Amino acid sequence: MSHVMNTYGRLPVAFSHGEGVHIFDTDGKRYLDALAGIAVSTLGHNHPDLVKALAEQAGRVLHTSNLYRIPAQEALADRLAELSGMDEVFFANSGCEANEAAIKLARYYGHKRGIAQPAIVVMEQAFHGRTLATLSATGNRKVQAGFEPLVPGFVRVPFDDLSAIEQVAKTNHDVVAVMLEPIQGEGGIRAAHLDYLKAVRALCDAHEWLLILDEVQCGVGRTGKWFAHQWAGIQPDVMTLAKGLGSGVPIGAALTAGRAKGVFGPGNHGSTFGGNPLACTAALTTLDVMTRDGLLENASARGAQLREELARALDGVAGVTEIRGDGLMIGVVLDRPCGALVGQALEAGLLINVTAEQVIRLLPPLTFSVADVTALVDTLAPLIRKFLSA
Ligand SMILES: *Cc1c(COP(=O)(O)O)cnc(C)c1O
């Protein structure tokens, strides 16, 4: 028996090495990676620029702590500010930690304004992480059950429904922020309408609330813009990032602007590892390669190709409800639970995921080529047809 705690239902496969969009198991079998470790491996596997940058950094210094200035962290904060228009960056090591920072910051913002019991509006089907505060913000009972008492201070509303937030605004004077994913990832690749995002921005402004956007999954180029909210032409007060930012090296970030800027000062928050030289080098290299190689444009183009080819290959197949998503964040919605497809795809040499029980989730590296998309569809579409006809 393994001594690894049994917190995941794991597939019986282990990987030994990767090469671009492919990864090899310990028996030498090759897989096309259409999941990228859940939107993490932005540049695919063993990217030569990333390998070189990490080796060089490891050969100089890995860690110094935030008790000192960290040049790579400063450079990364500058770069993220330039790409997002945000002002300040707090570095963490994961998505839930970035969200914890955002939640703490919203509460602190409320207290500074004399609100003793600040509340944050959160969404149904949301996923914000597994720590106590972030699981409390998450809109999924399965994530919460058994961990009560939940952290108080969250008010839940239906996603993509402006009037529900307006209703809360009328009755609850403790609200300090609205927190949402522009595209819900774990919740089933559900995108908020751009008009809704704009209206929530305006509502937050009218009430002097913070707009907190969790872009842990949909950010960092995945949808074809650096950040998903940029499609709506809005700017959040807080944005959180993680997953794809370090292309496999753990890093999270909470960025502030507008009325969230300057809320935290020394002593309000911290992290031993957050923003260490190795992680920041990984993120800087990821952003550099994305820029140099046009990976935003590629995410848009390959995403469009993938949706088109999937739609063609699955045309008229009963049981396929919808193909949705933006860029390389795609959900194929079936009319029934389809978790079994993950193992069948694995067998066929393809890594995919199923979320929200009946949504096949595709989150390939942003380096996917035209031929990779076609290979993905050629493998996946017949599996879906077979699964639905069984
Ligand atoms: C994965 C995810 C998180 C949690 O990130 P961890 O790094 O697992 O803590 C939070 N929010 C969203 C939208 C995510 O997809």
Side-chain angles (χ1 to χ4, degrees), residues 99-218:
N99 286 332
E100 283 278 342
I103 292 164
K104 278 184 67 176
L105 188 137
R107 285 186 167 194
Y108 208 70
Y109 169 80
H111 282 276
K112 280 188 166 178
R113 302 175 70 224
I115 298 174
Q117 301 288 324
I120 301 174
V121 176
V122 292
M123 303 294 144
E124 290 175 3
Q125 299 111 35
F127 183 80
H128 297 299
R130 299 280 194 160
T131 61
L132 276 173
T134 58
L135 76 81
S136 301
T138 289
N140 180 345
R141 275 304 297 160
K142 276 196 201 154
V143 172
Q144 299 172 336
F147 301 108
E148 296 82 2
L150 299 182
V151 172
F154 296 104
V155 180
R156 196 164 310 282
V157 296
F159 182 58
D160 208 22
D161 178 348
L162 185 70
S163 64
I165 310 180
E166 287 172 338
Q167 208 50 44
V168 172
K170 280 185 197 144
T171 51
N172 188 328
H173 302 292
D174 289 333
V175 172
V176 294
V178 176
M179 179 172 187
L180 61 91
E181 299 152 86
I183 304 177
Q184 292 186 328
E186 305 302 305
I189 316 290
R190 300 169 195 262
H193 286 90
L194 300 183
D195 285 347
Y196 166 81
L197 293 176
K198 286 183 205 161
V200 175
R201 173 68 280 178
L203 193 64
C204 287
D205 287 337
H207 293 278
E208 296 188 7
W209 298 342
L210 304 181
L211 175 58
I212 303 172
L213 296 182
D214 179 347
E215 295 227 14
V216 166
Q217 190 163 150
C218 63

Side-chain angles (χ1 to χ4, degrees), residues 7 61 82 117 178 185 219 228 233 280 284 314 338 376 389:
T7 55
V61 64
E82 176 200 323
Q117 301 288 324
V178 176
C280 290
L284 274 168
L314 296 172
C338 58
L376 164 55
S389 66

Side-chain angles (χ1 to χ4, degrees), residues 7-269:
T7 55
Y8 276 86
R10 294 174 201 270
L11 291 159
V13 62
F15 301 105
S16 64
H17 65 288
E19 180 79 58
V21 301
H22 294 102
I23 190 159
F24 296 81
D25 73 14
T26 44
D27 295 329
K29 178 176 166 184
R30 190 179 85 149
Y31 301 80
L32 178 63
D33 189 355
L35 184 60
I38 318 184
V40 167
S41 310
T42 304
L43 305 181
H45 302 283
N46 288 12
H47 194 285
D49 295 85
L50 189 57
V51 172
K52 182 163 173 282
L54 289 175
E56 278 175 13
Q57 187 59 49
R60 285 200 296 275
V61 64
L62 287 174
H63 179 83
T64 56
S65 110
N66 284 301
L67 298 174
Y68 311 99
R69 289 181 57 184
I70 300 174
Q73 186 184 116
E74 293 174 14
L76 178 58
D78 287 352
R79 188 91 170 91
L80 287 171
E82 176 200 323
L83 299 176
S84 64
M86 304 295 282
D87 283 308
E88 311 171 309
V89 191
F90 173 82
F91 288 103
N93 311 290
S94 65
C96 61
E97 281 180 65
N99 286 332
E100 283 278 342
I103 292 164
K104 278 184 67 176
L105 188 137
R107 285 186 167 194
Y108 208 70
Y109 169 80
H111 282 276
K112 280 188 166 178
R113 302 175 70 224
I115 298 174
Q117 301 288 324
I120 301 174
V121 176
V122 292
M123 303 294 144
E124 290 175 3
Q125 299 111 35
F127 183 80
H128 297 299
R130 299 280 194 160
T131 61
L132 276 173
T134 58
L135 76 81
S136 301
T138 289
N140 180 345
R141 275 304 297 160
K142 276 196 201 154
V143 172
Q144 299 172 336
F147 301 108
E148 296 82 2
L150 299 182
V151 172
F154 296 104
V155 180
R156 196 164 310 282
V157 296
F159 182 58
D160 208 22
D161 178 348
L162 185 70
S163 64
I165 310 180
E166 287 172 338
Q167 208 50 44
V168 172
K170 280 185 197 144
T171 51
N172 188 328
H173 302 292
D174 289 333
V175 172
V176 294
V178 176
M179 179 172 187
L180 61 91
E181 299 152 86
I183 304 177
Q184 292 186 328
E186 305 302 305
I189 316 290
R190 300 169 195 262
H193 286 90
L194 300 183
D195 285 347
Y196 166 81
L197 293 176
K198 286 183 205 161
V200 175
R201 173 68 280 178
L203 193 64
C204 287
D205 287 337
H207 293 278
E208 296 188 7
W209 298 342
L210 304 181
L211 175 58
I212 303 172
L213 296 182
D214 179 347
E215 295 227 14
V216 166
Q217 190 163 150
C218 63
V220 196
R222 184 131 296 271
T223 67
K225 285 202 189 280
W226 283 106
F227 308 104
H229 69 266
Q230 290 173 332
W231 291 106
I234 60 164
Q235 171 112 58
D237 300 294
V238 182
M239 171 170 67
T240 57
L241 302 173
K243 290 200 166 86
L245 182 57
S247 203
V249 177
I251 183 168
L255 292 76
T256 59
R259 54 182 72 87
K261 185 186 172 189
V263 169
F264 273 169
N268 290 141
H269 200 43

